[in-house]
């Protein structure tokens, strides 16, 4: 505490000397080189940049790189201190080789480059490009749009030429693909602006240099690329394309030319992302055998694609061997999760017939996080602890709970393996935790539990404050060094943080927090108040930057109280600097606003925002919040959100043409604005199109506006921008996402059916209409408008589920002459295009299987289902209220059969609208029981739980 007080006195003395210095002694007010090492991060937050301007560029760069250069606010302070060209050049030179700078830091630095070196022609020479390409990933990519598009074509070509020479230690295309959509779209626009040559006329050499930029292309743009040679194929097929880009490439280059494929790149990057129709057309028309990498699964592979590939692989194995065999299982590999349970039993018998070592090897090759508990128990029914050590994913769900619970002490290597790899839904978690609880302070236990492959959230909830008390520092250091940036439960972090605070001085505590932002996610309002006025903005900037970079939600505990510490700090800083500025918000720096994020600023009164010179970056920070976060702010007690939206609308009315820069500033607030006739006249379709393409979170296209606005503005805007619905491509449908709610339900069927099939498995995630969003929106709109919104959103979600169901129905199960079945099974397919055969049971199996299903349902649904059977859950007011809603849902859903794969591809839609009619259609298709484990992951009402129970009981009778 004494050292900290000494440093504060030193700073105050410096500023006091500056205030009373003679005009000829201005150097007294500058921080001298020998004094830099005495400065803390908190001191730099307080100091005005001009006090640092006496330092050389390399010293300022070293100051910026404190904490590995991860602090954007600190970076901006040092940048603003570089007022001389020599300093600026030295600053950049010292930053060379700093490749791991956070994106926000690169944005701040790139903006500085556009100010320091505004002359595109004379200041941007080879040496300059060499520097900036060796900083960040690279920092050149984050230059402002206004700077890049103010160039003449010749200068644009120069900037593109040098960017094309950028290198990266690993794959530069994969690194580039991680960037925000807005950055990737900016450089695609630069490419088209600098080179008017159509993409389909680019030669192989040109494509080789710009390949990574093409990862930001829309599916419509990818369709223009023609891969006429093997060399061109190798370039494009090596790119990390998303499913819609991959399908566009296939459609444009391979639809009628199959002889040149498949090659290794096609198998790795394209084939698993195609639709079932595309996969089948390839299989039927190619004169070469389709071979796929059976170890690849991931978020870009939908259930329909996986299922179709699984059937193809089984048919291939049957053609080669004539029956289900070891080769069948090994050929399937990790795609086995898409095989129906009724067919898995035949494959399981093959595995059981093998010697132990061969069986273990085979199980390892098919193990994946996509398997559900029932599939795991079918495939690995005889799994023991001894052979579980080779498994790292969901096959571990097959471990016998009772045997391990009743057993004695487990070997350390077994415990460590299970602690690290047991899935979150495993019933063994608490059992294993209890077996090692007495050793919780040992490093191997903590690391296995909290830093394992499955993430920290599984075991953190079991740890009590009594457990934390003696090992708080070890836990804090583990959290700090962990590979997991997210997934830490707030209450666990809170216990660790409170214990450390209790044993630390305020100075030590705040310094530690600045170095461990993960721990900040567990802070409470009392913790912020405890910090006093001296640390508000530094703590909030590091916290906000962590939240944004890791794509987490702002800590729930701090949402209502983050504003006061920020204002208290600004008042404290102003008093120290003898400032006389009446508006505290004016004293904020832009990077501080960016880093703090929109949550604290959203609590400001709109008049306070309007009066500050920083109103634009503050509005931009609020607009960068997700639509769900904005709704949470809007419905909070005392919210002035509608006044803020009205003020922004008035500002936009004066804009002669709603430019892209305006839309970027307003961000997600744009979707809540009360549009006027004047604003609609100023609306520019191309700006809207570019803005939608640059959305970093596709789910943020969800609309929560009145029915009048949906029809009078949004629908008209969509049609004027994208034309007739029948002409829309899959890329257009995906781009619109949640805005599709503005399209009348009767007109959704006018959309090109080929586009719907292509986008069906991607649409659900792009809509953004999660149960959470729907509930918040209904509260925001009010009772009258909420009813209209619910009808519109249900219609769109039913449309989405129906599209997924039709895609699931296109999975061809009898690709060859024989149908996919075990030679001992006599079940017949009634529909060759169905996904999973109707379930039939032998009389002796029927009761046992249904009891298992009931057990499964009671465990995975967080609801007392057995009470329904005993009659203790008779009709009550909550269920009665839901019955009416259920009748409305039943009227919408008219499909005879519903496939479980459709629910997996449209989970958000299904969770929100699932009803008795859906369950009956699922049962009609014969997939109800196979789908039960997946249904158990839905967060549904008591009425839905009762309907599930009724179907289980009826089948059992």
């Amino acid at each position: 505490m004494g050292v900290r007080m000494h440093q504060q006195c030193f700073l105050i003395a410096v500023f006091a000397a500056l205030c009373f210095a003679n005009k000829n002694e201005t150097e007294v007010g500058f921080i001298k080189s020998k004094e830099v090492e005495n400065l803390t991060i908190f001191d730099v937050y307080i100091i005005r940049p001009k006090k640092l301007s006496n330092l050389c560029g390399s010293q300022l760069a070293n100051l910026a790189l404190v904490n590995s250069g991860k602090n954007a606010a600190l970076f901006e302070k040092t940048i603003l201190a570089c007022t001389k060209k020599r300093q600026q050049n030295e600053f950049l030179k010292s930053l060379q080789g700093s490749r791991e700078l956070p994106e926000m830091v690169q944005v701040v630095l790139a903006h500085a480059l556009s100010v320091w070196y505004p002359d595109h022609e004379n200041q941007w020479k080879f040496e300059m490009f060499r520097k900036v390409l060796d900083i960040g990933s690279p920092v050149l990519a984050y230059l402002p749009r206004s700077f890049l598009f103010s160039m003449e074509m010749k200068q644009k070509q120069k900037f593109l030429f040098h960017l094309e020479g950028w290198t990266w230690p690993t794959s530069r295309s994969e690194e580039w693909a991680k960037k925000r959509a807005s950055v990737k779209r900016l450089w695609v626009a630069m490419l088209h602006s600098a080179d008017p040559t159509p993409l389909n006329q680019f030669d192989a050499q040109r494509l080789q240099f710009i390949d990574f930029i093409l990862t930001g292309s829309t599916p419509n743009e990818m369709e223009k690329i023609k891969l006429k040679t093997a060399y061109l194929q190798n370039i494009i097929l090596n790119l990390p394309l998303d499913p819609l880009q991959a399908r566009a490439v296939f459609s444009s280059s391979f639809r009628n030319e199959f002889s040149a494929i498949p090659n290794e790149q096609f198998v790795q990057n394209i084939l698993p992302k195609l639709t079932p129709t595309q996969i089948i057309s390839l299989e039927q028309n190619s004169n070469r055998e389709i071979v796929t990498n059976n170890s690849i699964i991931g978020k870009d592979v939908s259930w329909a694609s996986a299922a179709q590939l699984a059937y193809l692989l089984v048919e291939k194995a049957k053609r080669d061997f004539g029956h289900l065999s070891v080769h069948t299982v090994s050929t399937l590999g990790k795609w086995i999760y898409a095989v129906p349970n009724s067919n898995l039993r035949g494959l399981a018998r093959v595995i059981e017939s093998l010697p132990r070592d061969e069986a273990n090897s085979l199980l390892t090759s098919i193990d994946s996080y996509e398997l559900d508990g029932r599939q795991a128990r079918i495939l690995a029914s005889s799994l023991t602890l001894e052979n579980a050590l080779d498994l790292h994913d969901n096959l571990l769900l097959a471990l016998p709970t009772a045997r391990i619970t009743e057993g004695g002490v487990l070997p350390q290597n077994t415990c460590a393996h299970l602690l690290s790899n047991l899935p979150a839904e495993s019933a063994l978690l608490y059992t294993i935790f209890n077996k090692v609880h007495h050793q919780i302070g040992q490093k191997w236990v903590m690391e296995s539990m909290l830093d394992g492959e499955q993430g920290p959230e599984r075991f953190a909830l079991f740890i009590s404050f009594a457990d934390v008390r003696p090992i708080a520092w070890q836990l804090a250091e583990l959290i700090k060094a962990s590979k997991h940036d997210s997934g830490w439960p707030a209450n666990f972090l809170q216990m660790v943080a409170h214990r450390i605070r209790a044993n630390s001085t305020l100075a030590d505590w705040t310094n530690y927090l600045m170095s461990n932002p993960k721990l900040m996610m567990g802070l409470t309002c009392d913790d912020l108040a405890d910090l006093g006025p001296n640390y508000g903005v530094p703590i909030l900037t590091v916290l906000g930057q962590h939240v944004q970079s890791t794509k987490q939600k702002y800590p729930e505990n701090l949402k209502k109280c983050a504003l006061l510490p920020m204002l208290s700090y600004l008042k404290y800083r102003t008093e120290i600097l003898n400032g006389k500025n009446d508006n505290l918000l004016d004293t904020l720096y832009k990077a501080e606003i960016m880093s703090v994020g929109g949550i604290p600023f959203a609590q400001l009164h709109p008049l306070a925002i309007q009066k500050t010179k920083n109103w634009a970056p503050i509005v931009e920070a609020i607009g960068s919040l997700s639509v769900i976060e904005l709704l949470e702010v809007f419905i909070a007690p005392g919210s002035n959100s509608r006044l803020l939206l009205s003020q922004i609308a008035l500002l936009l009315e004066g804009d002669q043409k709603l430019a892209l820069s305006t839309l970027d500033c307003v961000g997600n607030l744009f979707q809540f604005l009360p549009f006027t006739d004047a604003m609609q006249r100023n609306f520019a379709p191309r700006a809207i199109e570019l803005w939608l393409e640059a959305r970093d979170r596709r789910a943020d296209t969800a609309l929560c506006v009145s029915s009048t606005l949906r029809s009078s503005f949004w629908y008209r805007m969509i049609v004027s921008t994208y034309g007739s619905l029948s002409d829309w491509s899959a890329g257009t449908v995906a781009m619109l996402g949640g805005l599709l709610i503005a399209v009348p339900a009767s007109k959704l069927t006018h959309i090109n059916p080929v586009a719907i099939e292509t986008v069906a498995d991607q649409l659900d995630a792009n809509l953004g209409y999660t149960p959470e969003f729907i509930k918040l929106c209904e509260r925001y709109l009010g009772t009258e408008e909420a009813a209209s919104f619910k009808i519109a959103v249900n219609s769109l979600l039913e449309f989405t589920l129906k599209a997924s169901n039709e895609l699931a129905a296109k999975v061809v199960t009898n690709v060859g002459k024989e149908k996919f079945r075990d030679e001992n099974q006599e079940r017949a397919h009634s529909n060759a295009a169905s996904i999973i055969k109707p379930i039939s049971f032998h009389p002796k199996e029927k009761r046992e299987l249904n009891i298992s299903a009931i057990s499964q349902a009671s465990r995975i649904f967080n609801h007392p289902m057995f009470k329904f059977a005993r009659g203790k859950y008779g009709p009550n007011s909550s269920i009665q209220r839901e019955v009416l809603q259920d009748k409305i849902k039943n009227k919408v859903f008219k499909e005879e059969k519903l496939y479980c794969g459709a629910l997996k591809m449209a989970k958000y839609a299904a969770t929100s609208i699932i009803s008795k009619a859906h369950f009956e259609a699922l049962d009609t298709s014969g997939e109800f029981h196979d789908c039960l484990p997946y249904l158990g992951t839905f967060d549904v009402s008591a009425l839905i739980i009762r309907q599930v129970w009724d179907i289980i009981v009826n089948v059992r009778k």
Side-chain angles (χ1 to χ4, degrees):
M1 183 65 75
V3 174
R4 178 67 193 164
M5 183 64 71
H6 171 74
Q7 290 172 345
Q8 285 188 343
C9 291
F10 161 75
L11 268 178
I12 293 172
V14 169
F15 293 126
L18 175 62
C19 293
F20 297 104
N22 187 288
K23 291 182 180 179
N24 295 325
E25 297 175 339
T26 54
E27 70 276 3
V28 176
F30 293 108
I31 301 297
K32 298 176 182 178
S33 298
K34 62 182 180 181
E35 296 167 338
V36 172
E37 56 188 43
N38 291 326
L39 295 176
T40 68
I41 293 178
F42 300 107
D43 297 330
V44 180
Y45 268 93
I46 292 177
I47 295 173
R48 288 194 179 105
K50 66 180 180 181
K51 311 303 183 225
L52 299 168
S53 61
N54 206 40
L55 302 176
C56 67
S58 59
Q59 286 180 308
L60 289 169
N62 290 335
L63 198 56
L65 290 172
V66 171
N67 285 348
S68 304
K70 294 179 180 178
N71 191 317
L74 197 67
F75 230 94
E76 185 189 38
K77 275 289 185 73
T78 57
I79 284 172
L80 293 174
C82 294
T83 57
K84 306 178 185 69
K85 274 288 176 279
R86 181 176 179 181
Q87 281 178 310
Q88 294 162 1
N89 292 332
E90 284 182 358
F91 188 87
L92 285 181
K93 185 176 180 180
S94 298
L95 290 179
Q96 282 185 257
S98 302
R99 295 290 190 95
E100 301 300 323
L101 296 177
E103 188 174 55
M104 192 178 293
V105 168
Q106 295 188 65
V107 170
V108 171
L109 180 57
H111 180 266
L113 292 176
S114 68
V115 176
W116 290 350
Y117 308 101
D119 189 338
H120 307 124
E121 182 172 2
N122 298 314
Q123 292 181 308
W124 289 84
K125 302 290 186 181
F126 175 80
E127 184 62 25
M128 179 65 180
F129 283 108
R130 190 177 68 82
K131 288 180 184 177
V132 297
L133 288 174
D134 196 28
I135 301 172
S137 62
V139 69
L140 181 69
Y142 296 93
L143 286 171
R145 172 182 285 271
S146 57
F147 176 77
L148 292 173
F149 278 85
S150 63
M151 305 177 191
E152 295 179 355
M153 182 178 289
K154 184 178 179 180
Q155 299 307 319
K156 290 178 181 177
Q157 291 171 345
K158 178 175 72 173
F159 274 70
L160 269 170
F161 171 79
H162 284 284
L163 180 63
E164 291 165 12
W166 166 62
T167 59
W168 192 252
T170 53
S171 167
R172 69 173 184 171
S173 60
E174 290 183 6
E175 180 63 27
W176 187 269
K178 297 175 186 175
K179 297 189 182 302
R180 291 181 298 168
S182 54
V183 174
K184 293 186 287 186
R185 288 303 301 159
L186 171 62
W187 283 96
V188 171
M190 270 286 284
L191 175 63
H192 293 313
S193 178
D195 191 341
T197 306
L199 282 176
N200 60 0
Q201 295 181 23
F202 276 27
D203 58 26
Q205 185 177 14
R206 182 77 177 110
L207 283 175
Q208 184 177 19
F209 285 116
I210 65 168
D211 58 353
F212 65 98
I213 296 177
L214 295 178
T215 59
S217 299
T218 65
N220 294 349
E221 290 167 340
M222 293 300 290
E223 279 190 338
K224 298 175 183 177
I225 301 174
K226 303 297 182 183
L227 307 183
K228 300 175 182 178
T229 66
Y231 186 44
L232 280 173
Q233 289 180 23
N234 288 334
I235 294 170
I236 300 301
L237 299 183
N238 270 315
L239 297 177
L241 303 177
D242 66 35
L244 292 182
Q245 289 174 324
R247 292 165 192 180
V249 168
F250 177 86
S251 179
S252 65
S253 297
F254 300 123
R255 186 185 306 175
N256 300 312
E257 299 176 20
F258 299 103
S259 58
I261 54 173
N263 58 22
E264 183 179 351
Q265 290 78 19
F266 186 89
V267 167
Q268 296 276 354
N269 293 341
I270 302 295
L271 183 59
K273 300 171 184 177
L274 300 182
T275 65
T277 300
Q278 289 176 323
I279 293 172
I280 289 300
S281 68
L282 178 64
E283 195 275 340
Q284 291 177 344
N285 294 286
S286 176
N287 56 10
R288 297 174 60 182
E289 186 178 73
I290 301 298
V291 180
T292 184
N293 186 333
N294 58 12
S295 65
I296 299 175
I297 57 173
K299 63 182 180 62
D300 284 339
V301 182
S302 77
W303 177 88
S305 303
Q308 190 60 78
L309 285 169
Y311 281 115
L312 277 173
L313 292 171
V314 169
E315 284 301 316
K316 176 182 180 298
K318 288 180 68 68
R319 285 196 301 269
D320 293 343
F321 295 90
H323 57 86
L324 297 182
S325 65
V326 174
H327 185 75
T328 311
V329 181
S330 61
T331 300
L332 275 169
K334 297 189 184 301
W335 298 109
I336 202 167
Y337 77 88
V339 174
N341 291 359
S342 53
N343 298 121
L344 285 181
R345 293 183 181 89
L347 299 175
R349 286 194 286 272
V350 171
I351 297 173
E352 291 171 359
S353 67
L354 296 174
R356 176 178 168 179
D357 290 344
E358 291 183 38
N360 287 351
S361 177
L362 204 55
L363 287 174
T364 302
S365 71
I366 64 175
D367 190 19
S368 81
Y369 57 84
E370 292 284 1
L371 293 165
D372 64 41
R374 182 177 291 180
Q375 289 175 319
R377 285 185 287 277
I378 291 173
L379 290 168
S381 58
S382 58
L383 186 65
T384 64
L385 280 175
E386 290 72 22
N387 54 23
L389 296 180
D390 294 326
L391 303 177
H392 297 82
D393 286 304
N394 283 10
L395 278 183
L396 289 173
L397 293 171
L399 280 171
T401 306
R403 195 178 306 167
I404 295 173
T405 303
E406 296 165 2
V409 177
L410 298 177
Q412 180 175 318
N413 66 327
T414 302
C415 277
H417 181 79
L418 294 178
L419 288 171
S420 180
N421 296 288
L422 271 177
E425 60 268 36
S426 173
L428 277 174
L429 288 178
Y430 194 62
T431 298
I432 299 298
F433 175 77
N434 279 334
K435 286 184 178 291
V436 298
H437 184 247
H438 64 289
Q439 299 174 285
I440 197 169
Q442 294 192 27
K443 186 177 179 181
W444 72 269
V445 174
M446 287 190 292
E447 288 184 346
S448 299
M449 280 197 304
L450 301 174
D451 205 25
E453 294 303 318
Q454 296 285 345
E457 63 269 25
R458 301 163 305 140
F459 289 103
L461 296 174
F462 298 149
I463 299 176
S464 68
F465 189 68
D467 296 326
V468 168
R469 189 180 293 115
I471 58 172
W473 276 108
Q474 296 98 304
L475 288 172
E477 286 298 294
L478 175 63
I479 293 166
K480 182 179 179 179
S482 173
K483 57 179 172 283
H484 301 293
D485 289 323
S486 58
W488 298 92
N491 62 338
F492 170 72
L493 294 174
Q494 184 178 328
M495 288 189 294
V496 176
H498 285 179
R499 185 58 185 167
I500 292 177
R501 174 65 185 101
N503 291 281
S504 307
T505 64
L506 182 60
D508 289 339
W509 169 232
T510 50
N511 282 322
Y512 188 74
L513 276 180
M514 293 292 281
S515 68
N516 193 353
K518 296 176 194 175
L519 204 56
M520 291 185 187
M521 300 294 288
L523 295 181
T524 65
C525 291
D526 289 340
D527 295 328
L528 287 186
D530 174 59
L531 296 175
N534 304 20
Y535 304 102
V537 168
I539 294 294
L540 291 175
T541 53
V542 174
L543 169 64
Q545 196 173 327
H546 174 70
V547 167
Q548 294 172 65
S549 64
T550 57
K551 297 179 173 59
Q552 297 184 73
K553 291 192 70 174
Y554 205 81
E556 203 66 40
N557 290 335
L558 302 181
K559 283 184 176 180
K560 296 180 181 179
C561 60
L563 177 62
L564 183 58
M566 181 181 74
L567 296 178
S568 299
Y569 178 85
L570 295 179
K571 186 174 184 293
Y572 161 76
R573 183 164 69 180
T574 303
E575 289 172 350
I576 283 186
L577 298 176
N578 286 326
K580 298 179 181 180
N581 198 320
D582 293 331
N583 193 332
L584 295 177
L585 297 176
D586 287 350
T587 66
L588 281 164
Y589 295 90
K590 186 173 181 181
E592 288 178 340
I593 296 171
M594 289 170 55
S595 299
V596 167
I599 290 293
F601 294 110
Q603 300 168 36
L604 287 167
H605 193 281
L607 293 178
I609 298 175
Q610 188 177 17
K611 290 178 180 178
T612 176
K613 67 180 183 182
N614 280 323
W615 71 268
I618 288 176
V619 168
E620 186 173 352
I622 298 173
S624 67
L625 296 174
S626 71
V627 288
I628 284 184
E629 287 174 318
L630 286 175
L631 282 173
E632 288 174 338
V633 170
F634 292 168
I635 65 174
S639 171
N640 293 291
S641 58
R642 296 186 191 275
L643 177 58
L644 173 64
L645 295 171
S646 297
Q647 288 180 346
I648 294 173
L650 286 173
L651 288 172
L652 295 186
E653 276 190 10
D655 197 340
Q656 294 298 315
K657 192 174 184 180
L658 290 181
L660 180 60
S661 57
T662 305
L663 297 176
D664 285 340
C665 177
V666 175
N668 289 330
L669 287 169
F670 184 68
Q671 287 146 253
F672 296 93
L673 295 181
F675 290 97
T676 63
D677 291 339
M679 289 173 63
Q680 293 191 39
R681 287 193 296 271
N682 296 342
F683 142 74
R686 180 56 180 160
I688 295 289
E689 186 176 4
L690 292 172
W691 179 69
L692 280 174
E693 290 173 357
R695 293 290 81 196
D696 291 311
R697 295 180 295 250
R698 301 307 315 164
D700 279 346
T701 54
L703 269 183
C704 183
V705 296
S706 67
S707 56
T708 302
L709 274 179
R710 287 199 302 270
S711 58
S712 65
F713 174 75
W714 285 101
Y715 178 60
R716 286 164 55 187
M717 181 275 291
I718 290 171
V719 173
S720 61
T721 303
Y722 293 100
S724 172
L725 278 65
S726 60
D727 296 330
W728 288 0
S729 66
T732 299
V733 176
M735 199 71 64
L736 288 171
L739 297 184
L740 290 171
I741 197 175
V743 179
S746 60
K747 295 186 178 182
L748 285 172
T749 54
H750 297 177
I751 300 175
N752 183 350
V754 175
I756 294 299
E757 179 187 339
T758 305
V759 78
D761 55 354
Q762 307 297 311
L763 191 54
D764 185 62
N766 281 4
L767 293 180
Y769 294 109
T770 62
E772 181 184 12
F773 178 90
I774 293 171
K775 290 176 184 176
L776 290 171
C777 184
E778 288 178 324
R779 288 180 60 188
Y780 174 68
L781 291 175
T783 305
E784 186 175 342
E785 280 294 341
S788 171
F789 166 77
K790 194 64 182 289
I791 292 172
V793 79
N794 278 356
S795 296
L796 178 58
L797 295 180
E798 282 289 358
F799 175 80
T800 303
L801 183 57
K802 180 180 179 182
S804 296
N805 199 44
E806 290 176 353
L807 180 65
K810 289 183 181 293
V811 176
V812 179
T813 61
N814 58 333
V815 181
K817 294 181 180 180
E818 287 191 77
K819 297 177 181 178
F820 173 30
R821 56 183 178 137
D822 183 351
E823 59 188 22
N824 296 321
Q825 294 172 325
E826 297 299 326
R827 305 181 183 95
H829 269 292
S830 59
N831 182 354
S834 65
I835 303 305
I836 301 174
K837 288 180 292 199
I839 298 177
S840 60
F841 309 105
H842 295 295
K844 293 181 180 180
E845 295 177 335
K846 187 171 183 179
R847 178 178 173 81
E848 181 181 349
L849 186 60
N850 280 284
I851 290 175
S852 173
I854 293 168
S855 173
Q856 175 78 7
S858 64
R859 184 172 72 253
I860 58 184
F861 278 105
N862 186 23
H863 199 280
M865 294 187 69
F866 285 103
K867 293 183 180 181
F868 289 126
R870 295 193 296 266
K872 294 185 178 181
Y873 253 85
N876 57 48
S877 57
S878 64
I879 291 184
Q880 286 175 343
R881 283 195 298 269
E882 292 168 12
V883 170
L884 179 60
Q885 296 180 4
D886 190 56
K887 288 180 179 178
I888 296 173
K889 294 176 185 177
N890 288 339
K891 289 180 181 178
V892 178
F893 188 76
K894 299 177 181 178
E895 301 298 305
E896 291 183 3
K897 291 184 178 181
L898 177 63
Y899 300 104
C900 188
L903 301 182
K904 293 179 178 179
M905 293 184 287
K907 180 173 182 178
Y908 291 133
T911 303
S912 297
I913 62 175
I914 197 117
S915 67
K916 184 177 181 181
H918 295 92
F919 293 134
E920 290 172 347
L922 195 62
D923 196 37
T924 300
S925 68
E927 300 192 16
F928 177 81
H929 284 85
D930 275 3
C931 205
L932 196 54
Y934 189 71
L935 290 173
T937 66
F938 286 20
D939 181 14
V940 293
S941 67
L943 176 65
I944 299 300
I945 299 292
R946 188 171 68 177
Q947 291 170 349
V948 173
W949 172 262
D950 288 343
I951 292 179
I952 294 173
V953 172
N954 288 337
V955 174
R956 186 182 175 190
K957 290 177 179 178

